[in-house]
Amino acid sequence: MQEKATLNRVISLPLLVFYGVGTILGAGIYVLTGKIAGISGVYAPFSFLVSAIIAAFVAFTYAELSSRYPKSAGEAEYVNNAFSKPWLTGLIGWSIVFAGIVSAGVMARGFHGYLIELLNFDFPSELSIILFVLLITSIAISGVSLSVKFAAAVTFIEIGGILVVLFIASEDFVLVFERWREFIPPMTLEVWRTIVVGAFIAFYAFIGFEDMVNVAEEVVNPEKNLPTAIIIALVVTTIIYVLVAMALVLALPIERLANNNAPFALIVEEKSSFPVSFISLISLIAILNGA
């Protein structure tokens, strides 16, 4: 009787946490934060907080299901076990595929924006997208052990870039004590509409859970480590998103954030003597990590 092929369980809890944090941050924090600030204004941190609360229900669901069904099929596996309907399982599987295509498109656009900042000329978008796809493909086909370790290492670089931005905005953070009332939204329909729209878009930034459960068969002790890693990753990334959103709206005019595809490069250029190419390079690496 032929033995069933299995995957190598090489992903430990720390590696899985870094993988999850890097995936959830990725393009979201380097690309979407400026757009959400353009929508929600000074309430952008609140939009991220609302989105994180909604995402928490999803995260706890994934944590529970991943401990029961630690299979790489993720959502398709859960639906199959719940309903045993092949057409529904297939629909969910293809939905994940199409969501991945949309995510790749967002990341490719963000990659192009930061590449222009890095090279300081209008690099053709078609060529940058081809370069982006080739880079992430070469990393993916290298194998899960190397690619997840690469993702964990890149997450350190990614968080380093975030710390640089928070350091640059540290003087503006002092204004929080003077302007804290501005961050509390009034109970008006118009304000809450912008917060909800911002939270709706910010939710995209938190959907890294499916990537974590899709490596379930390569995780050591997945029944325990997957739920733990999912919850840790959500808490860490929520704190980072709220802090970065607050830094951006305190340090830069909202209209400039709204019309810029590279908000981190913008804050470095406007508020510090750091070379813009430095943060642009980190941003490119972060977007690759998310992909």
Side-chain angles (χ1 to χ4, degrees), residues 72-92:
S72 292
E75 298 90 330
E77 175 73 15
Y78 309 151
V79 170
N80 188 54
N81 278 278
F83 302 104
S84 299
K85 294 185 182 297
W87 69 267
L88 186 57
T89 302
L91 178 64
I92 296 300

Side-chain angles (χ1 to χ4, degrees), residues 1 11 32-33 67 89 112 123 135 137 188 196 228:
M1 184 177 178
I11 305 176
L32 288 182
T33 44
S67 65
T89 302
H112 179 241
F123 193 84
L135 283 171
T137 301
T188 62
V196 169
T228 304

Side-chain angles (χ1 to χ4, degrees), residues 224-279:
K224 179 182 178 181
N225 287 339
L226 264 171
T228 304
I230 288 171
I231 293 169
I232 292 173
L234 176 65
V235 172
V236 170
T237 53
T238 298
I239 293 170
I240 292 173
Y241 270 118
V242 170
L243 286 176
V244 168
M246 189 171 293
L248 289 177
V249 299
L250 282 169
L252 296 170
I254 299 298
E255 59 274 7
R256 294 207 63 190
L257 286 170
N259 297 315
N260 191 282
N261 289 323
F264 277 34
L266 179 62
I267 193 171
V268 169
E269 183 180 15
E270 293 287 325
K271 307 289 289 188
S272 77
S273 57
F274 279 97
V276 176
S277 57
F278 166 75
I279 199 68

Side-chain angles (χ1 to χ4, degrees), residues 162-276:
I162 293 168
L163 292 176
V164 168
V165 168
L166 292 177
F167 174 75
I168 290 170
S170 58
E171 292 184 5
D172 296 287
F173 264 115
V174 178
L175 299 176
V176 170
F177 299 101
E178 300 175 9
R179 299 174 54 186
W180 64 270
R181 289 183 178 85
E182 297 178 29
F183 292 95
I184 300 176
M187 299 304 292
T188 62
L189 182 62
E190 182 60 28
V191 167
W192 277 94
R193 185 189 69 81
T194 61
I195 290 172
V196 169
V197 172
F200 179 79
I201 297 173
F203 187 79
Y204 163 80
F206 287 100
I207 55 172
F209 312 123
E210 66 187 37
D211 299 303
M212 297 176 73
V213 300
N214 284 341
V215 296
E217 292 179 54
E218 290 143 315
V219 173
V220 177
N221 192 8
E223 292 85 354
K224 179 182 178 181
N225 287 339
L226 264 171
T228 304
I230 288 171
I231 293 169
I232 292 173
L234 176 65
V235 172
V236 170
T237 53
T238 298
I239 293 170
I240 292 173
Y241 270 118
V242 170
L243 286 176
V244 168
M246 189 171 293
L248 289 177
V249 299
L250 282 169
L252 296 170
I254 299 298
E255 59 274 7
R256 294 207 63 190
L257 286 170
N259 297 315
N260 191 282
N261 289 323
F264 277 34
L266 179 62
I267 193 171
V268 169
E269 183 180 15
E270 293 287 325
K271 307 289 289 188
S272 77
S273 57
F274 279 97
V276 176

Side-chain angles (χ1 to χ4, degrees), residues 80-140:
N80 188 54
N81 278 278
F83 302 104
S84 299
K85 294 185 182 297
W87 69 267
L88 186 57
T89 302
L91 178 64
I92 296 300
W94 281 109
S95 297
I96 299 303
V97 170
F98 287 122
I101 292 171
V102 173
S103 296
V106 172
M107 293 178 190
R109 291 292 297 174
F111 183 85
H112 179 241
Y114 279 107
L115 188 62
I116 290 174
E117 293 288 343
L118 179 63
L119 300 177
N120 201 26
F121 71 88
D122 192 8
F123 193 84
S125 60
E126 295 84 358
L127 290 179
S128 72
I129 290 170
I130 291 172
L131 175 63
F132 173 80
V133 172
L134 288 175
L135 283 171
I136 61 173
T137 301
S138 64
I139 294 167

Side-chain angles (χ1 to χ4, degrees), residues 147-165:
S147 59
V148 170
K149 288 175 183 176
F150 173 83
V154 169
T155 298
F156 275 108
I157 300 173
E158 184 177 345
I159 292 174
I162 293 168
L163 292 176
V164 168
V165 168

